[in-house]
Amino acid sequence: MWSIIATWSFSLQCVEKGETILKSGGRALDAAEMGVRLVESDPAVDCVGRGGYLNADGELALDAAVMCGDTLKTGAVACVRGFEHPVSIARAVMEKTKHSILVGPYAEAFARQIGFAEAPPEYMITETARRKYEEEKRRRGKPSGHDTIGCLALDDAGSLCVATSTCGSNLRLPGRVGDTPIIGSGFYVQSGVGGAAATGLGEDIMRTCCSFRAVDLMRGGMSAQEAADTVVFTAHNTLRQCGLKPDCIALIVIDARGNCAGASNHKGFVYACARPGESPRIVSVDPVIDKDEQED
Ligand code: ASP
């Protein structure tokens, strides 16, 4: 039985799109990719695709990935400029090459070569994004403002797939890559077992390999909710034990039957989900970390 879940409230449109594909018998990979494409095109979403935060050089460089849980094949791109749909380039990396990740100008050349239309900076970089960049630069604050769309979809044939996309944080160092295109950290799926996708500070999520851990815990018998809670709680505490101040870490998880869950170490995390008999809705997540232990 199909099911779909995605990070943050802006992903409601992604889940609604995915639902229409899945309930008419479509494939999980199409549902996740098509849903994420909508968010990539939405200039009002400031952390994904068009209208996203700029790096320290004032460029919009995007990261995205897809993974097929039947084959464990994955495709990802990092620091791609001038294309509206990095998630589709990531899918092409998975389907048309023997590789997993292409980066920067090489990923852009690949996209051009296989016929993706280029999107000029005047289209990709909105006035709002440029204004936020100038304001942050004046404040000379630490890079701030970041989120990711991660979408996990299960189709009626039992295939689990994931698609992710982000621009990373405002004023990030050019060339910086977070967890979003990194298998095992930002995403992981295995059909028959489960899937996970992360959002939050990529450096912390990569240090703790959150997504693979969640899937492995479900393989060992945990429910989606237990796996999500355990991974976020352990990641947070591991970082603290190592002397770090954990930033935001949030995870969405789906099991092989389509049960969905979310976990976070900070307040305010929400996800969107849908399955047969349950129309697309937003679910709020209570933090797994006590209030006085949450970082500001
Ligand atoms: N994980 C993303 C990154 O570090 C950002 C986020 O999801 O908040 O690039």
Side-chain angles (χ1 to χ4, degrees):
M1 205 163 28
W2 66 267
S3 180
I4 184 163
I5 176 171
T7 51
W8 302 111
S9 55
F10 57 67
S11 72
L12 192 60
Q13 55 185 317
C14 164
V15 164
E16 285 167 350
K17 178 75 184 175
E19 179 196 31
T20 60
I21 294 172
L22 293 168
K23 81 180 175 194
S24 55
R27 294 172 59 201
L29 186 59
D30 295 329
E33 181 200 0
M34 292 305 156
V36 167
R37 279 173 66 101
L38 281 185
V39 180
E40 287 181 333
S41 291
D42 184 346
V45 179
D46 58 11
C47 53
V48 178
R50 181 173 177 230
Y53 296 118
L54 308 183
N55 68 18
D57 283 350
E59 290 180 321
L60 181 60
L62 304 171
D63 303 337
V66 297
M67 182 169 183
C68 169
D70 296 345
T71 60
L72 302 188
K73 279 191 180 165
T74 170
V77 291
C79 292
V80 168
R81 295 152 305 171
F83 289 91
E84 188 170 359
H85 294 300
V87 71
S88 297
I89 308 174
R91 181 170 177 172
V93 171
M94 180 176 86
E95 291 180 340
K96 296 184 193 298
T97 80
K98 291 179 179 157
H99 308 302
S100 293
I101 309 184
L102 295 179
V103 299
Y106 305 102
E108 292 157 14
F110 168 75
R112 250 175 248 120
Q113 195 190 321
I114 59 170
F116 281 93
E118 294 187 51
E122 315 79 83
Y123 174 75
M124 292 298 289
I125 300 178
T126 58
E127 265 177 46
T128 314
R130 181 69 67 195
R131 201 185 57 244
K132 280 187 198 157
Y133 166 77
E134 298 296 347
E135 281 167 7
E136 287 266 331
K137 230 169 66 165
R138 263 197 306 278
R139 272 207 295 271
R140 291 212 189 101
K142 65 167 188 170
S144 65
H146 52 78
D147 283 327
T148 295
I149 177 146
C151 174
L152 296 156
L154 171 71
D155 62 29
D156 281 339
S159 289
L160 265 171
C161 290
V162 60
T164 64
S165 187
T166 190
C167 62
S169 57
N170 209 1
L171 290 189
R172 61 202 172 278
L173 211 57
R176 178 268 188 189
V177 178
D179 60 302
T180 302
I182 305 298
I183 187 171
S185 292
F187 62 92
Y188 199 83
V189 278
Q190 184 178 353
S191 302
V193 180
T199 177
L201 188 76
E203 284 72 9
D204 281 352
I205 293 164
M206 288 189 283
R207 285 179 180 115
T208 47
C209 298
C210 289
S211 294
F212 180 75
R213 272 211 82 216
V215 175
D216 221 33
L217 290 175
M218 286 189 282
R219 191 194 319 282
M222 275 194 190
S223 70
Q225 190 65 62
E226 286 166 338
D229 290 346
T230 304
V231 167
V232 173
F233 184 82
T234 312
H236 183 94
N237 287 309
T238 303
L239 293 166
R240 288 191 73 149
Q241 278 156 19
C242 294
L244 295 164
K245 195 174 163 190
D247 208 296
C248 300
I249 299 176
L251 207 62
I252 53 167
V253 173
I254 191 168
D255 72 16
R257 291 172 304 285
N259 297 306
C260 291
S264 173
N265 67 345
H266 62 284
K267 55 182 184 317
F269 179 57
V270 301
Y271 62 82
C273 60
R275 56 193 303 185
E278 288 175 29
S279 342
R281 65 196 169 108
I282 303 287
V283 178
S284 296
V285 172
D286 288 330
V288 287
I289 303 298
D290 288 342
K291 198 165 169 293
D292 48 345
E293 284 188 21
Q294 288 172 38
E295 308 297 340
D296 298 329

